Amino acid sequence: MSAYKLETAPFDPRFPNQNVTRYCYQSYIDFHRCQKKRGEDFAPCNYFQKVYKSMCPNAWVEKWDDQRESGTFPGRI
Amino acid sequence: MQGLGLQSLKKNPALIPLYVCVGAGAIGAVYYIARLATRNPDVTWNRTSNPEPWQEYKEKQYKFYSPVRDYSKTKSAAPNFEE
């Protein structure tokens, strides 16, 4: 039986409060900015993906992915 | 009304603690609002020159009192991909 290593997004001093909405949104944006700037295979970008997958509600991630695909995503990427 | 001028205040010295307490409260309120307006990581005064005001807190503490963690030892774990 393999051991599962359970972990979540680390503490970030930019977002010290209980409401992590901005942490979620910032990580989502940073992941796509990182990919746009460094390419899809740049491994350090995956840190942001790990964070936003932990912090963001799945419904939001799906909505934003759809918006990005249709070109209506309101954030700056 | 008595107590509003310096002369009548000298005749009613019991009003002085009232001035002290109300003054301290007013100064505290103004200070806290000014701190929120200028230091809060969610507040920006110029959206073009400072679009993400929380970024300056990558290694800084905003909270007054932080018994749980020492902010001088914590850094944001996010990698810097801008350069």
Side-chain angles (χ1 to χ4, degrees), chain A residues 10-17 22-23 26 29-31 33-35 37-38 42 44-45 47-48 76, chain B residues 41-42 51-52 54-60 62-63 69 71 74-83:
Chain A
F11 175 74
D12 194 323
R14 294 174 294 169
F15 316 105
N17 298 317
R22 189 153 264 140
Y23 194 15
Q26 188 65 38
I29 290 191
D30 278 344
F31 175 64
R33 283 181 188 166
C34 182
Q35 281 203 319
K37 190 158 192 165
R38 299 301 183 104
F42 192 58
C45 289
Y47 169 83
F48 298 111
R76 178 183 69 83
Chain B
D42 290 331
E52 294 181 353
W54 50 89
Q55 303 286 15
E56 58 182 278
Y57 285 90
K58 277 190 174 148
E59 289 161 29
K60 249 177 24 168
Y62 174 67
K63 293 184 168 182
R69 66 186 78 243
Y71 277 77
T74 51
K75 246 179 68 105
S76 172
N80 188 354
F81 57 90
E82 293 288 341
E83 275 90 53

Side-chain angles (χ1 to χ4, degrees), chain B residues 6-76:
Chain B
L6 201 54
Q7 305 293 4
S8 59
L9 192 58
K10 284 189 206 158
K11 277 193 261 170
N12 300 297
L15 289 173
I16 293 179
L18 186 63
Y19 272 93
V20 170
C21 292
V22 171
I27 290 176
V30 170
Y31 163 73
Y32 190 64
I33 290 182
R35 182 180 117 107
L36 277 177
T38 51
R39 300 265 174 265
N40 190 332
D42 290 331
V43 171
T44 180
W45 287 81
N46 185 340
R47 250 186 298 173
T48 30
S49 71
N50 190 11
E52 294 181 353
W54 50 89
Q55 303 286 15
E56 58 182 278
Y57 285 90
K58 277 190 174 148
E59 289 161 29
K60 249 177 24 168
Q61 175 175 342
Y62 174 67
K63 293 184 168 182
F64 268 130
Y65 176 54
S66 170
V68 173
R69 66 186 78 243
D70 183 356
Y71 277 77
S72 61
K73 299 198 175 71
T74 51
K75 246 179 68 105
S76 172

